[in-house]
Amino acid sequence: MHVGVVGAGALGLYYGAMLQRAGHTVSYLLRSDYQALNAAGLTVHSINGDFYLPEVRGYRTAEEIGPVDLVLVGLKTFANHCMIDLVRPLVGAQTMILTLQNGLGNEELLADAFSPQTVLGGIAFLCSNRGEPGHVHHLGEGRIRLGEFSGGDSERSRMLADEFSRAGVPCQAVTDLRKARWEKLIWNIPFNGLCALLNQNVNLLLGHASGKQLAGQIMEEVVAAGNAQSLSKPIDGAAFIPRMIGMTEQMDNYCPSMMIDRQQGRPLELEAIYRIPLRMAAQKGVAMPKTEMLCQLLDMEEHQ
Amino acid sequence: MHVGVVGAGALGLYYGAMLQRAGHTVSYLLRSDYQALNAAGLTVHSINGDFYLPEVRGYRTAEEIGPVDLVLVGLKTFANHCMIDLVRPLVGAQTMILTLQNGLGNEELLADAFSPQTVLGGIAFLCSNRGEPGHVHHLGEGRIRLGEFSGGDSERSRMLADEFSRAGVPCQAVTDLRKARWEKLIWNIPFNGLCALLNQNVNLLLGHASGKQLAGQIMEEVVAAGNAQSLSKPIDGAAFIPRMIGMTEQMDNYCPSMMIDRQQGRPLELEAIYRIPLRMAAQKGVAMPKTEMLCQLLDMEEHQ
């Protein structure tokens, strides 16, 4: 399978490297890392064992790559205004586009520009950060849940899940992608925002009684908002929330991507992770006061 | 009138100086400023004109002062566990105790220790900060609304209001102190906390659309909580909130006391300004999700 990676950050580089190691041809669209990766290859520092890819197919433009079998989108959502132009040259008649981006609204953009049938979405439970150019750190988790944007079962989603799994990325095909997205938001909405706002990693946050209480309360808001979206089956918050908090407590001082974005002065993914979910909740008459306040505070911090 | 000032910070020093300039005998209970004030006097840098008091009656212990006519309490509420011991030596048979502290719960502590009839409360709309030892900066506002802890009209509350007014401090006696306290909380709860959390002064905060929106939403929560407390007359939020926001926008980059407390590593007045109001709202079944979240975030920042 020829895979084109658009948005080769901590996530795109890690999954691209895993697929490449498993024998797929992977082409990376690169900007700042172009020199380092083409010159010295890519090193993955992983909890499952480090590995090194001496040859990396890095390109400066999507046109040089051309149509691929699978476009893997790992672009930060604050760059979504560039996404379609970056993806278009990679899309041929048989191309699948799989966005592993955070939050909501990404599949919709791709479906509008190409066709809904082209688009799959995936939720990556991945703790990874970029190191110096040519290095990516895989710190924990890594599994993917993917499914058709149009919903339902499909052979290709199961095939893709198998390819990822064979490559060492536990992957499951789901029939209700929207439910999977909301389940991921139950993690992203509290932890990305609170860690970014307070500049505290997830373990510091949960180590504080007020932090743990607040994270749980925000999670409850997200469960209620998700369950108002006519999911195939409601999310059972009473079981799901403690499990997510327990899983997060097992992390090793993980810094969510938004916390690192803020530390490094990058924009924050407020639209995909906060504003679109808030609008979808409001449309269903569900109040998310603490989620809204977190978004307001992050907006203030970003535009100080 | 012999006035004893307990808690001679930015507020206690300013009002003490105003009363002293008007001819009252004012004794200040001092700690860190003792040397500077006794040696060099007190300078008030005021928007209404600077003035200098060469002689300041500063004391290291309340016992040296002894019973006074009026105890003016300006202590930070996080030091309330010391308050009764500091006030007791100043209280004789005819002494009035007027607490100008922030938030709720202060009159109750004094009334429990002495008698409800001894206690008055006042709400100070004052923008003041301490400068170097021996200097206090009066940056804006300054008016006081005071009333009996036990409620209702009283001759002495009107007398006290007259004394303050004669001393250049606009002062009004109110019959419903609890209502006045809640009205002040409509300002304190959003601005103290948000400015402290974000390290932004009130004008920066209100200059940001999200900040202005959030401040207004928190104010609405406080109005609802206050109006659940059987006040003599409900607070008209629709009129009151825009007026408070408009007044605050006229301030000159004012940094609320909690913001300065946080910058200087002091404890935050979370109990008086947040936790007691939150408990009183909960007792009446009123939800204050954003106020609660602000308290949770401040608690995390304080105990990081």
Side-chain angles (χ1 to χ4, degrees):
Chain A
M1 193 165 62
H2 186 187
V3 181
V5 176
V6 174
L11 180 143
L13 283 174
Y14 174 70
Y15 288 125
M18 292 297 279
L19 292 171
Q20 181 178 340
R21 188 180 64 162
H24 296 286
T25 302
V26 181
S27 300
Y28 303 83
L29 186 60
L30 301 173
R31 283 184 309 176
S32 56
D33 282 3
Y34 178 82
Q35 299 276 14
L37 281 169
N38 276 18
L42 174 60
T43 304
V44 178
H45 307 267
S46 170
I47 49 160
N48 301 326
D50 301 352
F51 63 94
Y52 171 61
L53 301 173
E55 299 284 336
V56 169
R57 295 165 58 103
Y59 297 90
R60 284 192 190 275
T61 68
E63 285 76 7
E64 294 169 72
I65 303 176
V68 296
D69 300 311
L70 173 69
V71 182
L72 206 66
V73 182
L75 206 65
K76 290 278 184 187
T77 54
F78 53 73
N80 271 357
H81 56 283
C82 309
M83 178 167 65
I84 301 308
D85 288 343
L86 295 175
V87 169
R88 193 181 302 280
L90 305 179
V91 178
Q94 302 299 318
T95 301
M96 298 176 284
I97 308 173
L98 172 65
T99 166
L100 296 174
Q101 296 168 285
N102 276 324
L104 302 183
N106 307 303
E107 288 91 358
E108 285 78 358
L109 288 176
L110 292 163
D112 282 352
F114 305 101
S115 80
Q117 289 69 41
T118 314
V119 180
L120 298 100
I123 291 89
F125 291 88
L126 172 69
C127 298
S128 67
N129 297 155
R130 291 172 87 159
E132 65 238 65
H135 293 263
V136 63
H137 296 269
H138 170 221
L139 307 168
E141 306 290 332
R143 67 187 187 284
I144 292 175
R145 301 172 73 200
L146 59 79
E148 295 285 344
F149 168 62
S150 309
D153 201 8
S154 80
E155 198 176 328
R156 66 178 186 178
S157 66
R158 278 179 276 121
M159 180 277 290
L160 268 185
D162 286 346
E163 292 295 350
F164 273 107
S165 296
R166 262 197 289 277
V169 175
C171 187
Q172 183 195 357
V174 298
T175 53
D176 189 348
L177 176 63
R178 292 184 320 122
K179 179 164 182 261
R181 283 250 170 251
W182 278 95
E183 285 175 345
K184 180 71 191 300
L185 285 172
I186 296 170
W187 195 91
N188 279 140
I189 286 181
F191 290 108
N192 268 278
L194 290 173
C195 291
L197 180 71
L198 299 168
N199 199 32
Q200 295 187 9
N201 67 48
V202 295
N203 303 92
L204 275 175
L205 188 79
L206 289 177
H208 197 296
S210 287
K212 191 164 174 173
Q213 181 191 47
L214 179 55
Q217 291 168 336
I218 293 175
M219 287 174 150
E220 282 169 21
E221 291 185 355
V222 185
V223 169
N227 283 341
Q229 309 297 324
S230 316
L231 305 181
S232 55
K233 200 183 140 192
I235 300 164
D236 176 7
F240 194 84
I241 290 173
R243 202 163 70 234
M244 290 292 255
I245 288 182
M247 179 197 80
T248 310
E249 285 177 325
Q250 299 309 311
M251 293 179 180
D252 184 13
N253 294 315
Y254 181 60
C255 300
S257 58
M258 189 175 284
M259 177 177 170
I260 293 179
D261 286 339
R262 186 168 172 222
Q263 286 173 343
Q264 303 193 348
R266 283 195 291 267
L268 305 181
E269 297 190 290
L270 298 186
E271 188 72 14
I273 297 181
Y274 293 95
R275 294 199 186 106
I276 296 178
L278 281 165
R279 282 200 292 272
M280 292 182 70
Q283 279 162 12
K284 301 293 181 179
V286 176
M288 303 181 80
K290 287 179 173 162
T291 303
E292 182 191 45
M293 178 163 165
L294 187 51
C295 182
Q296 289 165 321
L297 292 170
L298 291 165
D299 184 40
M300 274 185 270
E301 287 288 7
E302 188 176 8
H303 300 105
Q304 202 167 354
Chain B
M1 194 165 60
H2 186 186
V3 181
V5 177
V6 173
L11 179 142
L13 283 174
Y14 173 70
Y15 288 124
M18 293 295 280
L19 292 171
Q20 181 177 339
R21 188 180 62 163
H24 297 285
T25 303
V26 181
S27 300
Y28 304 83
L29 185 60
L30 300 174
R31 284 184 309 176
S32 56
D33 281 4
Y34 178 81
Q35 298 276 14
L37 281 169
N38 277 19
L42 175 60
T43 305
V44 178
H45 307 266
S46 170
I47 48 161
N48 300 327
D50 302 351
F51 63 94
Y52 171 61
L53 302 173
E55 298 284 336
V56 169
R57 296 163 59 102
Y59 297 90
R60 285 192 191 276
T61 68
E63 286 76 7
E64 295 169 71
I65 304 175
V68 296
D69 301 311
L70 173 69
V71 182
L72 207 67
V73 183
L75 206 64
K76 290 279 183 185
T77 55
F78 53 72
N80 272 358
H81 56 283
C82 308
M83 177 167 65
I84 301 307
D85 287 344
L86 295 175
V87 169
R88 193 180 302 279
L90 305 179
V91 178
Q94 303 300 318
T95 302
M96 298 177 283
I97 309 173
L98 172 65
T99 167
L100 295 174
Q101 296 167 285
N102 275 326
L104 302 183
N106 307 302
E107 288 91 356
E108 285 78 358
L109 287 177
L110 293 163
D112 281 351
F114 304 103
S115 80
Q117 289 69 40
T118 315
V119 181
L120 299 99
I123 291 89
F125 290 87
L126 171 68
C127 298
S128 67
N129 297 155
R130 291 172 87 159
E132 65 238 66
H135 294 262
V136 64
H137 297 270
H138 170 220
L139 307 168
E141 306 291 331
R143 69 188 186 282
I144 291 174
R145 303 172 73 199
L146 59 79
E148 295 285 345
F149 167 63
S150 310
D153 201 9
S154 82
E155 197 177 328
R156 65 178 185 178
S157 65
R158 277 179 276 119
M159 179 277 290
L160 269 185
D162 286 346
E163 291 297 348
F164 274 108
S165 296
R166 262 197 290 275
V169 175
C171 187
Q172 181 195 357
V174 298
T175 53
D176 188 350
L177 176 63
R178 292 183 322 122
K179 178 164 184 258
R181 283 250 170 252
W182 278 96
E183 286 175 344
K184 181 69 192 300
L185 285 173
I186 296 170
W187 195 91
N188 279 142
I189 285 181
F191 290 108
N192 270 278
L194 290 174
C195 292
L197 180 71
L198 299 169
N199 199 32
Q200 296 187 10
N201 67 48
V202 295
N203 303 92
L204 275 175
L205 188 80
L206 289 177
H208 196 296
S210 287
K212 191 164 174 173
Q213 181 192 46
L214 178 56
Q217 290 168 337
I218 293 175
M219 287 173 150
E220 283 170 20
E221 290 185 355
V222 186
V223 169
N227 283 341
Q229 310 296 325
S230 316
L231 305 180
S232 56
K233 200 182 141 194
I235 300 164
D236 176 7
F240 194 83
I241 291 174
R243 201 164 71 233
M244 289 292 254
I245 288 183
M247 178 197 79
T248 309
E249 286 177 325
Q250 299 309 312
M251 293 181 180
D252 184 13
N253 294 316
Y254 181 60
C255 300
S257 59
M258 188 175 284
M259 177 178 171
I260 292 177
D261 287 339
R262 186 168 173 223
Q263 285 173 344
Q264 302 192 350
R266 283 195 290 268
L268 306 181
E269 297 189 291
L270 298 186
E271 188 71 14
I273 298 181
Y274 294 94
R275 293 200 187 104
I276 296 177
L278 280 166
R279 283 199 291 273
M280 292 181 70
Q283 280 162 12
K284 301 292 182 182
V286 176
M288 304 179 79
K290 287 180 172 160
T291 303
E292 183 192 43
M293 179 163 164
L294 187 51
C295 182
Q296 289 165 322
L297 292 170
L298 292 164
D299 184 41
M300 275 185 270
E301 287 287 7
E302 187 176 9
H303 300 105
Q304 202 168 353

